[in-house]
């Protein structure tokens, strides 16, 4: 079997890359270890930068996003018993974010690829990528029924997430990894209750961070900081709601409760592996970098990487021009490092480090006051949150 671009992973990065390549007349095959149902149900991110929305629209994927996505023009920061609004439209010249769950982005992409005759192999673990420093890389996978398949490619795109096999296929010593683990995690729930807020609430509390997000007018998404060794089995729904009630408590405001439809614990990590290319292997999305979720950047970075990669592969495969492919890693990493800094900064400002001295909370509160009082500081937060630099 042969294709121009073998894509490992049917997450947002792999699926969007396959679609963008098809728009350019380039053939690809996506190989994914999980089932279609699993990929479409995996609960993850929910906030799209305006550049990501524009990109999806321009790629013909704006239909349901425009009908069901919820445009948000700001966020609330809650700290020291107050809730302050940051107005992104005012601060950034009209820019916004859109709440549209990653599950929906993935469903739209899978539906579009299949409608266009695209090739996605589900339940097919990629076992090896080889020949990366040759002109003919090969992607080996186990197809349904246990058949071993080899896919000869011009290029392989490693879109297989943080735990994938592509990054480890790069010879040791060639990658520089910069990483930090945070001493806490997020417990996230999807709740069958209308949101208790019109905009997302990022909440600093002496017990730890909490976030009120949403999915639809009838579904809320809430997160709060827990210890990094916490187990979800120790968090019955009542304990979750009690924790959320305590952290968000504000006189005159009520947090509405409802059935918990999904719950899970996410570790917090900053991780950048560079360069994002080795020979004919290009890494994109979580395969190359991870940010803690506080800045809502992970999904947006994945979409940005593959937009740059699609242009680079078009130049390389259709015109023999390798310059954009040579610039791919550096082009992506400029954005990745901006988002890595912003996500670290938001995380450090809002979370309680176990065992921290009183100085930590005092500095956090000083910073939170500054970003809600100074227009310059608020503008910096806002332009990073809606997406800096703009994607196009
Ligand atoms: P992924 O979505 O991870 O896709 C990789 C795909 O590769 C997966 O489908 C995987 O099954 C497949 N794969 C892996 N190995 C193989 C193999 N050997 N063979 C074939 N296929 C393989 N970001 C936010 O902005 N906000 C959030 O709240 C948020 N929450 C998150 C919660 C969790 C639990 C996780 C893990 C991430 C979260 N993120 C969040 C980050 C965001 O979801 C990711 O940045 C985004 O999914 C990256 O997309 P991707 O396509 O690069 O990787
Ligand atoms: C969501 C996740 C985030 O990490 C964030 O910062 C904002 C919103 C969400 O899942 O809705």
């Amino acid at each position: 079997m042969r294709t121009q671009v073998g894509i490992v992973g049917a997450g947002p990065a792999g699926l969007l890359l396959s679609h963008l390549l098809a728009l350019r007349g380039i053939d690809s095959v996506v190989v994914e270890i999980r089932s279609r149902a699993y990929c479409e149900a995996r609960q993850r991110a929910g906030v799209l930068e305006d550049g990501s929305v524009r990109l999806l629209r321009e790629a013909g994927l704006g239909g349901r996003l425009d009908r069901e996505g919820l445009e948000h023009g700001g966020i609330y920061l809650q700290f020291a018993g107050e809730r302050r609004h940051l107005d992104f439209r005012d601060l950034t010249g009209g820019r916004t974010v859109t709440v549209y769950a990653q599950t929906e982005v993935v469903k739209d992409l899978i539906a579009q690829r299949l409608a266009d005759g695209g090739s996605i192999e589900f339940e097919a673990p990629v076992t090896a990528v080889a020949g990366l420093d040759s002109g003919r890389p090969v992607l080996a996978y186990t197809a349904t029924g246990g058949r071993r398949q080899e896919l000869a490619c011009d290029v392989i795109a490693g879109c297989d997430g943080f735990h994938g096999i592509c990054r480890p296929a790069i010879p040791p010593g060639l990658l520089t990894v910069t990483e930090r683990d945070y001493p806490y995690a997020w417990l996230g729930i999807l709740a069958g209750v209308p949101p208790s807020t019109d905009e997302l609430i990022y909440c600093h509390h002496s017990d730890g961070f909490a976030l009120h997000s949403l999915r639809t007018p009838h579904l809320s998404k809430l997160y709060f900081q827990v210890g990094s060794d916490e187990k979800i089995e120790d968090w019955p729904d009542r304990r979750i709601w009690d924790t959320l009630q305590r952290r968000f408590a504000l006189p005159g405001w009520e947090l509405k409760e409802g059935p918990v439809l999904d719950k899970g614990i996410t570790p917090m990590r900053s991780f950048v592996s560079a360069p994002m290319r080795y020979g004919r292997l290009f890494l994109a999305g979580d395969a190359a970098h991870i940010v803690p979720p506080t800045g809502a950047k992970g999904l947006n970075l994945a979409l940005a990487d593959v937009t740059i990669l699609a242009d680079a592969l078009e130049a390389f495969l259709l015109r023999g021009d390798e310059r954009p492919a040579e610039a791919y890693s550096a082009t992506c990493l400029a954005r990745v490092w901006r988002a890595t800094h912003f996500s670290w900064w938001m995380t450090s400002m809002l979370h309680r480090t176990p065992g921290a001295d009183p100085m930590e909370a005092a500095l956090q509160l000083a910073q939170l006051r500054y970003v809600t009082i100074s227009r310059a500081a608020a503008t910096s937060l806002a332009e990073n949150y809606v997406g800096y630099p703009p994607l196009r």
Side-chain angles (χ1 to χ4, degrees), residues 87-160:
D87 185 339
F88 293 163
R89 283 194 186 90
D90 173 45
L91 292 163
T92 65
R95 298 178 62 201
T96 57
V97 293
T98 296
V99 173
Y100 190 65
Q102 182 166 329
T103 47
E104 308 314 299
V105 175
V106 165
K107 281 183 209 161
D108 292 349
L109 281 163
I110 291 175
Q112 188 69 48
R113 283 311 293 133
L114 296 180
D116 292 345
S119 191
I120 312 175
E121 296 263 354
F122 287 105
E123 298 179 73
V126 174
T127 50
V129 288
L132 303 175
D133 53 358
S134 75
R136 271 296 153 87
V138 175
L139 188 160
Y141 65 98
T142 310
T144 35
R147 244 174 334 112
R148 188 185 140 83
Q149 286 283 3
E150 285 203 347
L151 190 57
C153 315
D154 294 324
V155 160
I156 293 177
C159 302
D160 50 348

